[in-house]
Structures are given as structure tokens and as C-alpha cells.
Amino acid sequence: MDKIDTLQIHNFKFFDQQEPIKLGGKHLLLYGENGSGKSSIYWALYTLFEASQKKSEKIKKYFKKEAESPETLLNIYAEPITEADGTEHFNSFIKVITDSVPPKTFEISLLDTTINTKADAKQINQASDFLNYKVLYKFQDFWNGEPIDLANIFIGYILPYVTFSEYELWRDGSLQARTNAYEMWKEIQKGPGKTLNANGKKIQFYKHSEENRQFERFCAHFENEMQSLMDFINANATEILKKLGYDIDFHLAYTQHSHKKADVLYHCSPFKIELKITNYLGKTVNIHRPQSFLNEAKMTAIAIAIRLAVLRKRINTEVPDLLKFIVLDDVMISLDMNNRDKLIDFLLDETNGFTKDYQLLFLTHDRGLFNFLKDKIRNVGLKNEFIYKEMYVNSISGMEKPEIYDHPNKLKKAEYFLHIHDYPACGIYLRTS
């Protein structure tokens, strides 16, 4: 399986002109103090491979100055460079080089948006996953008085990375195949398509036309695939939740979308995915508003179980030698140490396939968790499959930028604390070094 050999983040978000981060094809465990740019690593990888699905002009918006693009992700200290042909850029880019032979390079910048033409980049984006505490919190960000409908979360964070079996519908005068779950849903929202009537007026395809019949079959196929996905999650996520230390059964109740077509107008009502708790500590219950019954840790665990269940489904369907990675950015904030322990055991257990089928990138601002994870990795015999790094804020020059050290590097830490005039800490690291 391909893995990331180096990651270079250059003049992007908190990173200035940094040297590449060397992973050497290993899993990563990284401690980053708050504000050190740890999450910039998360967003760099996310932005890089999401760009495979975007048009070139959309990609360029991330690398333009703020006056030209409110979506810019340029480092605020980046200086403009003018090429001989007058093109201005900021030498801002994200680059991943794999450990394959020959190595593969994936890169985006203002001057290079060709990642959206690479089929393998699109496959990597669909096969990998990005988990952080903000995404997990969305699973419980509902009013107490309303049922939890996860439809928008699935549309925004899960369906874009799920592949359904291929099905065709009429678009632009020909049958066109779709496989991505999110793209299928967007097509359903558009409707069957339009034609001209005898008077030259643009109307929806006639009810008994082949185009409309094919659209209805396409919708039925999507709904069958969605129900199969729900069935898979319901069958596997509760098992994962129990391994994470929670004796809770839950169920995702799926309600199909509906649509109505008139001569001119088309209306689509979205599907619903209602989260219900069906068993709690061995007692049968029927709780429709879990956010008012369960604490944040339990809701976070349910969210993690759902995401990992979807990943488990992907393990069986994606190309085996494709680069696949999971970035976990402070996903354990809401879990107590006992349940963190169970989640770590679950991810590191080779029988579950995550360390074998994915390159894992653990990012945390919790020093205690970093050391705990390091011990767990050693205890399960994976020490040589991980690389350990630490991140700090360097503001010596008057501008803030990240400093990344291999762990342990106590002499480097002593130097860092010397420069920020924390002499007691400097002395401690000098002595231990």
C-alpha cells in the first residue's frame, strides 16, 4: 500500500517556508502545543485531496491574496513573487510525495491545479478520512426539543467519500453513469431534466418519457444503496461502540426523500436519518432525542463509531494498494482516559484493519495523551511503524511560525525555551539531555 513519505506545507495557513515533514511511510503521532499549527497539517491534507474534486478556479482561491479572495488560506507573512510573464504568486503550495516506486507527487498551488485531472487523487480523497473534534461535535449540535436528523452531516461529511454501485441517468442528451453517493444525491436534487414542448417552452421531461422513467429508476437505486449503507452502519457501529466501552445500542432510522414534478417546476424534499437510542445498559429504551439524555462523551463515541463503521465498509471496497490515510485531530477531547484507552486499542488492533489498511496520523495538543499513546504503541509492538514529532510556536523573529522536532529532542527544546526566556524549563531539558 502506498503511504506518505513527505508532506510539505509552504506559506499555507500557519506554515511559512517550512522544510518537508518526513514521515517515511510510517504512521505519525504528533504533539502540538495550542496555536502551534497542528491543525494546519489536518487542513493542508484535507485541502490538497479535496481539490481533486474542485474546478481550477476554486483551487486558486486558496492561494490568492485576501483582497482578491475571501477564501484565501495564504500565510499572512507570505511575500509576493512576480514571474517574468507578470504572473504574481506567493510560493504557497501543499505537496505530498508517496513512498511508492516510482514515487507519486500530489501538489496544489496557484500555478498548479492539475490534481483535479488525476484519477488516483480522486480515489485517495474518497478512500481517506478526516476526523476532528469539530466534525464529531456536529453529531450532537441539536436543540434539546428536536430529534437528531443526521442527513446534513451525511451529505456534507460522509456521502462525498462513499461509492455506490454504478447507475445511469439522462444528462445533456445521453446516459451518464454516477457512482459517488454525494453526486447521485445532487443529481436527484436537480430533477429529471428539461426539454422543449411543442410551443418551444422549456419544461420538465414528460412523465412517461424514457428520460423521466430512467430518473425514477436512478432515484430508486440511490434509495436502495442508502438503505444498504444504513443497514451496514446499524449492524456494525453498535459493535464498535461496545468495543469503545459503551453499553449502548442505537439505530439510524432512514426516511427516503420525496420529489414532485409538474410541467415546469420540480420540488425535492430531502431524506432523513434519525438517530435513536434503543438500549441503554441492558435496558430497552426508545429515546428520540439522545442529545438530552447522553453526555458529550457518549455522543462523541457514537459519532466515532458511525465514522469508523463507514470506514470499515470502505476497507472492503477500495483499491488495496492505493494511498489511504486517516487524520485524527484531537478526536478524544471529550472522552475520559478509560474510553480513550479503548478507542486507541481498537485503532491499533491489527485484526480491525486500520493500521494495516490506512496510514494513521494522530494529532493532539494533550501532552499526557501523547505519552499514553506512545506507550500503547510500544506495548502492541508497533513502535517501529510510527514516527513521533512535536510542534511548538516559534515567535523569536517577531513573527509566529511552527517549529517541528523529532521526538524526543530535549536539546532542541532547551534551545526553544532559552529563546523565549523560560530558563527553568530550559535548564530541565538541558539536564535531561
Side-chain angles (χ1 to χ4, degrees), residues 351-368:
T351 61
N352 291 320
F354 292 106
T355 55
K356 178 170 64 74
D357 294 293
Y358 292 90
Q359 187 174 10
L360 301 180
L361 289 80
F362 288 100
L363 315 176
T364 181
H365 77 283
D366 186 330
R367 167 69 72 179

Side-chain angles (χ1 to χ4, degrees), residues 192-205:
K194 294 186 177 182
T195 186
L196 297 177
N197 66 9
N199 298 322
K201 184 180 179 180
K202 188 175 285 189
I203 62 170
Q204 298 286 333
F205 279 122

Side-chain angles (χ1 to χ4, degrees), residues 4 49 124 128-130 323-327 358-359 361:
I4 298 170
F49 287 102
I124 291 167
S128 301
D129 207 0
F130 301 85
L323 169 62
K324 299 191 288 290
F325 57 85
I326 308 172
V327 188
Y358 292 90
Q359 187 174 10
L361 289 80

Side-chain angles (χ1 to χ4, degrees), residues 292-303:
S292 62
F293 178 74
L294 302 177
N295 62 21
E296 185 176 345
K298 293 183 176 69
M299 290 298 298
T300 298
I302 289 174

Side-chain angles (χ1 to χ4, degrees), residues 239-287:
E239 171 198 343
I240 294 173
L241 188 61
K242 284 181 167 53
K243 290 183 178 180
L244 299 183
Y246 295 94
D247 186 11
I248 301 171
D249 292 345
F250 67 88
H251 179 78
L252 298 183
Y254 182 70
T255 303
Q256 295 186 2
H257 87 283
S258 62
H259 59 262
K260 187 183 298 183
K261 184 188 78 65
D263 284 346
V264 177
L265 300 177
Y266 172 82
H267 176 74
C268 178
S269 296
F271 56 82
K272 294 181 180 180
I273 304 173
E274 189 175 347
L275 173 63
K276 302 177 181 179
I277 306 301
T278 57
N279 193 288
Y280 186 79
L281 300 180
K283 178 179 174 58
T284 300
V285 294
N286 190 20
I287 299 171

Side-chain angles (χ1 to χ4, degrees), residues 11 62 86 102 136 146 170 196 204 229 249 272 274 373 423:
N11 282 336
Y62 301 135
L136 296 177
E146 62 178 343
W170 286 95
L196 297 177
Q204 298 286 333
L229 177 62
D249 292 345
K272 294 181 180 180
E274 189 175 347
L373 258 167
Y423 303 121

Side-chain angles (χ1 to χ4, degrees), residues 46-56 58-59 62 108 113-127 160-162 180 182-183:
Y46 180 86
T47 303
L48 173 63
F49 287 102
E50 275 289 303
S52 67
Q53 311 287 342
K54 298 181 183 296
K55 295 180 179 178
S56 293
K58 179 67 175 176
I59 300 171
Y62 301 135
I108 56 171
T113 62
T114 56
I115 196 169
N116 58 16
T117 66
K118 296 182 176 181
D120 53 353
K122 299 177 191 293
Q123 291 174 330
I124 291 167
N125 189 53
Q126 290 199 5
Y161 312 104
V162 171
N180 178 260
Y182 176 78
E183 291 179 1

